Structure formats: C-alpha cells, structure tokens
C-alpha cells in the first residue's frame, strides 16, 4: 500500500532558528508597544471607574467624599497619580500613532519612527511632571 506522506528521511530539513530560552514574547518594539497600549488602556479604565465611584459619594455622603479626597493627598497616592499621568499620556500618544498607521497610506512605512516620537514626547512630558509630583510627595512626607 502506497503512502502519500513522505518519510522522515525524505522530508526537507527546516531552517528554523532555535527558540530563545527565558523569553515569553519574541516580538519587536511594535509588539511591546501593543502590550503597553493595552495595559495603559486597562489602567485608565479602572481609574475612570474609581473616579466615577468616588465622585458619586458626594450625593451619598459629603463627609465620606471629603475623607476620600483627603486620602488622595497622601504621598503614596501622589505616586499613583504620576503613574496615571504616565499611562494616560502614553495611551493617548500611542493611540494617535495607531490611527496614523491605520488611516495614513504611508503609516506602516513610518510606524517605527512614529513610535520613537511617541516615546520622546512621552518622556518630555512625564519627566517634568515626575519631578514636580515627587517633590510634592517628598514635601508631604518631610514637611517644607
């Protein structure tokens, strides 16, 4: 009886690179941009959810609302505020890049330079904000 499958000896050898050990993802910069975009989107969603809940406290109990707002002045919360700012800025700039890649005819050709532009703009805005917010947190802790 004839077989339609080739034997192992007759099969052509595959030229595949050995798999890198210790790395879950083997993508390039675009893949990490995609991952960061999803993470910052989820973080922004959860912030908006908490924001709606704490704002709704005003109708239920103004004293509870004032207590919650007072906790936002804690130095740890100031660091969370910095994280929120960083997440929202990256998500916004990267979202513009994604739209340009999708709707601009040359978008795919320039997606890597646009990603570096996003990272550059993000750093230009986040670093001064980080200095300001961290100095405010240090002032809260040590007085000043």
């Amino acid at each position: 009886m004839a077989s339609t499958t080739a034997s192992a000896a007759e099969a052509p050898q595959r030229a595949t690179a050995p798999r890198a050990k210790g790395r879950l993802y083997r993508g390039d910069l675009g893949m990490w941009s995609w991952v960061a975009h999803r993470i910052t989107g989820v973080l922004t969603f959860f912030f908006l959810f908490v924001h709606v809940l704490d704002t709704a406290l005003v109708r239920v109990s103004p004293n509870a609302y004032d207590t919650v707002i007072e906790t936002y002045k804690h130095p740890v919360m100031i660091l969370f505020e910095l994280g929120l700012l960083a997440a929202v800025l990256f998500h916004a700039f990267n979202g513009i890049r994604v739209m340009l890649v999708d709707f601009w005819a040359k978008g795919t050709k320039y997606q890597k330079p646009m990603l570096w532009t996003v990272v550059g703009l993000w750093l230009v805005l986040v670093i001064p904000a980080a200095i300001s917010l961290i100095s405010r947190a240090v002032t809260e802790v040590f007085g000043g």
Side-chain angles (χ1 to χ4, degrees):
M1 176 159 38
S3 174
T4 58
T5 59
S7 69
E10 297 170 1
Q13 293 295 324
R14 292 174 121 185
T16 59
R19 185 161 195 216
K21 294 189 187 266
R23 287 177 47 182
L24 180 61
Y25 297 110
R26 296 182 353 181
D28 63 352
L29 197 58
M31 189 246 358
W32 291 111
S33 162
W34 180 87
V35 169
H37 194 73
R38 295 321 184 260
I39 290 171
T40 57
V42 169
L43 291 175
T44 303
F45 170 78
F46 281 118
F47 163 75
L48 290 173
F49 181 72
V50 169
H51 180 64
V52 167
L53 288 178
D54 71 14
T55 304
L57 277 176
V58 131
R59 302 278 295 175
V60 176
S61 170
N63 291 335
Y65 174 78
D66 291 338
T67 303
V68 168
I69 294 302
E70 194 62 33
T71 62
Y72 290 157
K73 296 177 182 173
H74 192 275
V76 173
M77 294 306 289
I78 292 172
L79 295 177
F80 280 125
E81 185 177 356
L82 175 60
L84 172 67
L85 176 69
V88 167
L89 282 175
F90 179 81
H91 192 77
F93 288 146
N94 196 51
I96 292 168
R97 182 189 71 86
V98 168
M99 286 188 295
L100 286 172
V101 168
D102 286 346
F103 296 116
W104 182 32
K106 295 182 181 179
T108 55
K109 180 179 178 183
Y110 296 112
Q111 69 177 339
K112 196 169 274 191
M114 286 191 294
L115 179 59
W116 285 114
T117 303
V118 164
V119 171
L121 284 172
W122 181 79
L123 286 172
V124 163
L125 292 174
V126 167
I127 289 173
I131 292 168
S132 174
L133 288 170
I134 290 172
S135 67
R136 191 172 94 195
V138 168
T139 302
E140 287 285 328
V141 171
F142 298 112

